[in-house]
Amino acid sequence: MRIFDPHIHMTSRTTDDYERMAAAGVRALVEPAFWLGQPRTNAGSFTDYFDALIGWEPFRAAQFGIRHHCAIGLNPKEANDPRCREVLGLLPRYLARDGVVAVGELGYDSMTPDEDEVFAAQLALAVAHELPALVHTPHRDKQRGTLRTLDVVKESGIDPAYVVVDHLNEVTVGSVAGSGCWMGFSIYPGTKMSPDRMVALLREYGPERMLVNSAADWGRSDPLLTLATGHAMLAAGFTEDDVDRVLWRNPVDFYGQSGRLDLSGTHEQAADFAGNTLARGGS
Amino acid sequence: MTGGQLADVLEGRVADPGWLADAVDRVARDPDAVATLFPAAGRRCGRGPLPGPDSQPGNAGWTVDDAARVLLLTALPLHGPELAAQVDALYRHGGADEKRAVLRALPLLDLGAAGVEILHDALRTNDTRLVAAAVGPCARQLGDAMWRQAVLKCVFMDIPLTAVADLDRRADGELGRMLADLAAERHAAGRSLPEDAGVLLALIGDLPGRGDPADRQDQRDGKAR
């Protein structure tokens, strides 16, 4: 089983996780920029973080034959802090970089006017840079937040085929299915979605435009729940080809729209990093 | 809690009462001294729980160091922008305990817009100590849209709703709608609301004027009143 995790926060995971993921069949992933748990208070904290998503993490991943790509954006929670707003002006520089295959994670947290403004501005950046957009749906007031998200996407003029609306569940999937946007599901213990519930949704809605991710981060989460979902699909009678479509070809199709997805040499040994022959993946 | 109540409730509970009296005195004479006295209050005064007045659920969960730090803040001989700058710096550079004490002190300090900024910052965190303090009496400065988000955040974070001040007065039809949507989501996932949130939802269902359009407009605007 080959797996492309379309949404995982490796910054918050250990190198052991990369090793376990590679052993489980994960060959590629996308790490969207997100909130780190401790609120940032200035733009410099963001640029160091973005640089890590483009530099250090792909290097760490490559040591296990995993292709690491990222999405860059200002998350909605920190969009509410005026000290972080400067980040918006820095984004075009990053959205031009190799390895950046989307703008994200965008969307709503508390649905404030600041969030409206930053969300719309970043969808415009996605259009300008011909990049897909990874849009998450809020934890709180999710149904209302999902509908409002779809309204903003529509108003932005971005092609819905360039948008994934993530962290969906039984209550919110229907509205996204009819919008033309891709549907993202985070198989995340407790709060979001489970493998068995995911299988039921795949039965109901089919595999088209469906993306399954672990969204593993600093919370209680598991980077191998993509694999568990693949197994649950097979156990429920889906074919190997169905599983490959959902766990590999769909994310390749979605992020491939960026024209920057590089899946070559996923099994090659890591190259030296910036001339440094010391591979620090295990230390 | 008011300044007078603070001194009363601390009586006999402070590890080093001489240190606290001296610290309050020093801050009153030299406000910049608060920068080092404020963080030290936990070490010198202790961190045990204070008995809260049961009649005011928003005061639940105060500790000795909370009250000692609030006393220090109320002793600052500053006003307006100078007071706001001093308190803001203590919050920005403080750990969670110090941030929480600033939140507790907000109803006693006139910080204007700076106080609202601090509240918003606390509500952006995922630290239960800060979120619980931010929905206390200081939340009176929050606009209704942000206040409802804060209550819902408590439900998500398993913070008992007894931490929420003015819940009986402020709970409205829009909060009920948000809780009902969450209950539906949880139901779809085979889960349920925490018991206190379920009780709140049932109580709101009995309110007259549920789902008032003015409330929905306020929610869209996200504006503070």
Side-chain angles (χ1 to χ4, degrees):
Chain A
M1 197 182 292
R2 54 178 181 169
I3 298 170
F4 186 135
D5 194 332
H7 181 159
I8 182 167
H9 301 288
M10 293 310 298
T11 297
S12 306
R13 309 300 303 189
T14 63
T15 301
D16 291 10
D17 282 331
Y18 274 122
E19 191 168 23
R20 293 193 305 135
M21 288 160 66
V26 177
R27 301 278 173 263
L29 59 85
V30 169
E31 173 160 12
F34 83 140
W35 182 60
L36 289 174
Q38 175 74 35
R40 283 164 282 211
T41 60
N42 68 85
S45 294
F46 281 85
T47 55
D48 288 343
Y49 171 59
F50 295 158
D51 290 340
L53 295 186
I54 292 168
W56 174 242
E57 285 303 330
F59 170 67
R60 215 158 63 107
Q63 294 180 46
F64 302 92
I66 296 175
R67 275 286 178 188
H68 181 291
H69 302 83
C70 68
I72 295 285
L74 173 58
N75 65 81
K77 190 193 287 262
E78 288 171 307
N80 286 308
D81 190 329
R83 294 169 298 180
C84 300
R85 186 61 76 87
E86 184 189 339
V87 172
L88 271 189
L90 302 172
L91 289 178
R93 183 181 292 276
Y94 284 96
L95 297 180
R97 303 281 295 270
D98 287 340
V100 178
V101 295
V103 184
E105 323 183 21
L106 314 178
Y108 284 116
D109 181 59
S110 299
M111 289 191 267
T112 64
D114 280 337
E115 291 174 30
D116 280 328
E117 197 179 311
V118 170
F119 184 14
Q122 293 187 97
L123 285 175
L125 283 174
V127 172
H129 291 263
E130 298 177 336
L131 285 172
L134 169 53
V135 181
H136 91 163
T137 48
H139 300 287
R140 302 181 301 282
D141 210 2
K142 190 184 273 287
Q143 289 103 303
R144 185 65 61 90
T146 303
L147 294 175
R148 189 152 145 186
T149 294
L150 293 173
D151 285 345
V152 174
V153 166
K154 199 168 181 182
E155 283 165 20
S156 77
I158 192 172
D159 180 350
Y162 268 65
V163 177
V164 56
V165 182
D166 211 344
H167 307 326
L168 297 179
N169 58 29
E170 292 84 351
V171 177
T172 53
V173 60
S175 55
V176 181
S179 73
C181 295
W182 289 66
M183 292 156 275
F185 297 88
S186 299
I187 316 302
Y188 195 104
T191 58
K192 297 187 174 82
M193 180 58 56
S194 68
D196 289 340
R197 288 165 57 203
M198 188 65 235
V199 167
L201 287 172
L202 283 164
R203 273 218 189 91
E204 186 174 350
Y205 289 90
E208 194 185 343
R209 286 186 287 127
M210 296 288 240
L211 296 176
V212 171
N213 61 72
S214 72
D217 57 11
W218 38 252
R220 291 171 68 193
S221 47
D222 182 349
L224 301 189
L225 285 180
T226 46
L227 175 69
T229 303
H231 285 153
M233 286 177 70
L234 292 174
F238 282 94
T239 65
E240 297 268 2
D241 187 66
D242 293 331
V243 173
D244 189 66
R245 175 170 186 181
V246 171
L247 293 184
W248 184 265
R249 301 198 307 268
N250 276 359
V252 169
D253 286 349
F254 178 70
Y255 288 116
Q257 298 179 105
S258 69
R260 302 186 205 172
L261 208 54
D262 178 5
L263 298 173
S264 62
T266 50
H267 297 281
E268 290 171 10
Q269 281 300 107
D272 293 349
F273 180 68
N276 186 349
T277 55
L278 185 64
R280 291 190 177 274
S283 59
Chain B
M1 262 189 269
T2 66
Q5 283 175 323
L6 278 175
D8 289 346
V9 79
L10 278 174
E11 184 74 32
R13 299 179 195 277
V14 178
D16 187 348
W19 179 89
L20 181 58
D22 180 57
V24 168
D25 187 50
R26 279 180 62 194
V27 167
R29 284 183 285 111
D30 173 16
D32 288 342
V34 78
T36 51
L37 294 169
F38 193 70
R43 302 193 292 277
R44 305 305 293 261
C45 301
R47 307 173 206 270
L50 285 181
D54 292 338
S55 57
Q56 291 173 280
N59 290 347
W62 278 64
T63 57
V64 170
D65 56 327
D66 281 341
R69 289 196 175 98
V70 175
L71 268 187
L72 292 176
L73 293 177
T74 56
L76 284 167
L78 303 172
H79 301 281
E82 285 185 332
L83 178 65
Q86 186 70 262
V87 175
D88 189 61
L90 289 171
Y91 179 85
R92 301 289 164 206
H93 299 291
D97 288 349
E98 294 144 63
K99 283 182 157 68
R100 184 182 61 193
V102 170
L103 293 164
R104 302 253 198 247
L106 284 181
L108 302 176
L109 307 171
D110 183 12
L111 302 187
V116 180
E117 277 304 305
I118 286 173
L119 269 179
H120 284 180
D121 185 272
L123 289 169
R124 280 195 294 272
T125 73
N126 263 19
D127 187 320
T128 50
R129 295 166 295 186
L130 300 186
V131 174
V135 293
C138 55
R140 276 170 206 147
Q141 294 186 72
L142 283 180
D144 287 341
M146 190 55 78
W147 181 81
R148 292 186 202 104
Q149 286 279 344
V151 175
L152 212 58
K153 187 157 183 164
C154 288
V155 175
F156 270 84
M157 298 176 77
D158 288 326
I159 295 171
L161 294 179
T162 50
V164 182
D166 305 318
L167 190 57
D168 52 344
R169 187 175 62 76
R170 294 188 78 173
D172 59 5
E174 180 65 7
L175 179 63
R177 200 268 312 152
M178 293 162 81
L179 283 169
D181 282 357
L182 176 60
E185 255 186 79
R186 292 260 169 118
H187 179 74
R191 303 166 64 217
S192 57
L193 287 181
E195 193 178 342
D196 56 357
V199 170
L200 176 61
L201 178 56
L203 287 173
I204 292 176
D206 294 337
L207 284 176
R210 223 203 110 172
D212 180 65
D215 286 330
R216 286 200 293 273
Q217 186 59 46
D218 183 54
Q219 164 77 11
R220 273 197 297 276
D221 293 347
K223 279 182 184 147
R225 280 190 179 168

